[in-house]
């Protein structure tokens, strides 16, 4: 299964590009979660009002979603960056 997180930072959150190293560091631990094979972080390349800033892609077994949701890594992401987000979208799919 692929689990996608699209994140858009608030206008007053500062330069979101500066957050990329920390976001990559956090999601670099994804493979340590049972059933999660890894993660990738992609920055947006178009700066428009109707665009998101960051796409996070995780590859996991469908049964690992609950474990991922409860993981320390997921909570680090939410605690550090959740307050800075204007909006986010989550999308899951299986091939």
């Amino acid at each position: 299964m692929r689990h996608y997180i699209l994140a858009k930072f608030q206008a007053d959150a500062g330069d979101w590009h500066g957050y990329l190293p920390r976001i990559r560091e956090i999601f670099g631990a994804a493979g340590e979660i049972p059933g999660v094979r890894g993660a990738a972080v992609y920055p947006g390349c178009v700066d428009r009002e109707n665009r998101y800033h960051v796409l996070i892609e995780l590859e996991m077994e469908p049964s690992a979603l609950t474990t991922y949701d409860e993981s320390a890594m997921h909570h680090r992401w939410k605690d550090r960056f959740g307050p800075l987000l204007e909006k986010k979208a989550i999308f899951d799919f299986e091939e």
Side-chain angles (χ1 to χ4, degrees):
M1 176 176 92
R2 304 284 178 163
H3 177 80
Y4 292 98
I5 305 164
L6 275 165
K8 180 176 181 70
F9 290 95
Q10 298 170 11
D12 62 356
D15 181 10
W16 63 269
H17 295 92
Y19 300 138
L20 290 170
R22 179 68 177 130
I23 295 169
R24 286 187 172 117
E25 178 185 334
I26 289 170
F27 283 94
E32 299 170 12
I33 301 168
V36 179
R37 290 184 282 283
V41 176
Y42 304 101
C45 65
V46 174
D47 189 20
R48 290 187 180 175
E49 180 60 32
N50 66 343
R51 299 295 199 272
Y52 285 80
H53 296 120
V54 177
L55 170 67
I56 302 162
E57 175 189 40
L58 292 105
E59 185 177 348
M60 67 177 72
E61 297 299 322
S63 60
L65 187 58
T66 300
T67 304
Y68 161 74
D69 284 342
E70 296 170 353
S71 72
M73 183 206 77
H74 185 230
H75 285 278
R76 278 193 299 277
W77 156 249
K78 288 174 54 171
D79 292 347
R80 172 63 180 95
F81 293 103
L84 301 176
L85 296 180
E86 176 182 320
K87 59 185 173 179
K88 68 178 179 177
I90 309 297
F91 182 77
D92 301 301
F93 85 95
E94 290 186 83
E95 294 181 54

